[in-house]
Amino acid sequence: MIDVTLDMEQYDCPFIHATEEHDLAFSAVHWEFDTASDTLETRMVVEGDDREALGQGLSELREHEGLREYRLLSKTGGVAHVRTVIDETAAMSTIRDGGGYITGPFYIADGSELWHVGFDDRGEADGTLSRLDRDNEYQVLERDEPDLPELQGFIQNAGAAMTLIEGCKDLSAVERETLETAASEGYFESPRSATLGTLAERFDVSKPAVSKNLRRGQRKMLERVVDAMSELEE
């Protein structure tokens, strides 16, 4: 197996077009290709810089000629969850015709798309990437050829990894942002380069409030970490 990570610019992709025009990003949580109709069904989390950017970006998406179906599943502030069906793009066709397949979620922002693509052998990978270069702008960010023991280890640990991912999803937006800021600014280091006071000032809340958000976030993540460690031991 050849695993390739690509930074793609597709001129016929509705999602990329929307991020070129507005400050928002798409993260795929589900994708399924219909070979009968040559369409891709996705469920995306869409994050805008604010409510206005999100609304404008979703409007831009709905007006794109490559969009077949659109449904807004939920929307809170600058974040939305949408279901879409789009036509197969030229790059998608090239990848599929060359024996490639998607191995990870899409992430789209600032006019480009992060793809994780797999091939069964080097010949397929090299030939497909060569053909892809004719009509598309892309950059190979990473190329890996895991051996069988590595793949076995990945499969065995996939459950533990998903447990940690689910823990991240359990966090509220405030809890996630508080944890991320505390970690990046050194709250968990010894000695600390950030305190409850500096974090409270950062979020314009009281010390008890920021402490509560930290403790809630830590408790949720620690519960998942313990579950993940149990799965690894199994």
Side-chain angles (χ1 to χ4, degrees):
M1 175 182 173
I2 314 297
D3 194 17
V4 183
T5 302
L6 302 173
D7 187 4
M8 287 285 307
E9 294 183 29
Q10 298 186 81
Y11 307 116
D12 55 350
C13 176
F15 306 117
I16 287 181
H17 177 71
T19 66
E20 288 177 330
E21 302 296 327
H22 303 283
D23 294 325
L24 73 163
F26 294 88
S27 302
V29 294
H30 167 266
W31 61 95
E32 182 175 355
F33 192 84
D34 187 335
T35 56
S37 62
D38 287 339
T39 57
L40 179 71
E41 177 183 349
T42 64
R43 284 168 177 78
M44 295 275 201
V45 173
V46 193
E47 296 181 82
D49 273 7
D50 51 41
R51 185 188 297 270
E52 182 179 1
L54 177 65
Q56 292 175 345
L58 292 178
S59 295
E60 193 80 33
L61 175 67
R62 291 196 299 271
E63 294 171 3
H64 196 279
E65 61 182 11
L67 186 73
R68 292 277 194 95
E69 297 178 26
Y70 170 90
R71 179 185 174 193
L72 179 64
L73 301 175
S74 63
K75 183 178 177 183
T76 304
V79 180
H81 185 201
V82 301
R83 174 191 173 274
T84 65
V85 177
I86 68 170
D87 289 325
E88 181 181 42
T89 65
M92 289 164 56
S93 176
T94 300
I95 293 290
R96 292 183 60 251
D97 290 346
Y101 43 88
I102 301 301
T103 60
F106 307 100
Y107 179 76
I108 308 162
D110 300 322
S112 67
E113 182 173 5
L114 194 65
W115 275 19
H116 301 279
V117 183
F119 297 92
D120 290 333
D121 58 59
R122 295 180 185 178
E124 285 185 347
D126 294 340
T128 302
L129 292 178
S130 178
R131 290 189 295 274
L132 190 66
D133 196 34
R134 298 172 188 172
D135 302 307
N136 299 273
E137 295 290 334
Y138 74 90
Q139 180 181 1
V140 177
L141 300 181
E142 187 175 355
R143 177 169 173 151
D144 188 28
E145 301 183 29
D147 55 24
L148 287 177
E150 287 179 320
L151 287 173
Q152 183 183 25
F154 173 80
I155 293 170
Q156 290 175 338
N157 296 328
M162 287 305 301
T163 297
L164 292 178
I165 291 173
E166 290 299 325
C168 294
K169 291 180 180 179
D170 286 343
L171 296 173
S172 68
V174 172
E175 290 165 352
R176 182 180 64 182
E177 188 176 359
T178 303
L179 281 175
E180 289 175 347
T181 302
S184 64
E185 295 192 1
Y187 177 78
F188 299 111
E189 295 177 3
S190 182
R192 287 177 173 171
S193 53
T195 65
L196 283 178
T198 58
L199 292 175
E201 291 178 4
R202 173 73 177 270
F203 292 102
D204 194 23
V205 297
S206 65
K207 288 183 183 180
V210 78
S211 176
K212 185 177 182 180
N213 290 330
L214 273 175
R215 285 187 285 105
R216 282 180 174 176
Q218 287 176 284
R219 184 183 70 250
K220 289 180 180 179
M221 290 306 303
L222 282 173
E223 288 174 353
R224 292 292 187 168
V225 168
V226 171
D227 291 341
M229 287 192 296
S230 299
E231 293 181 33
L232 286 174
E233 291 174 357
E234 295 174 0

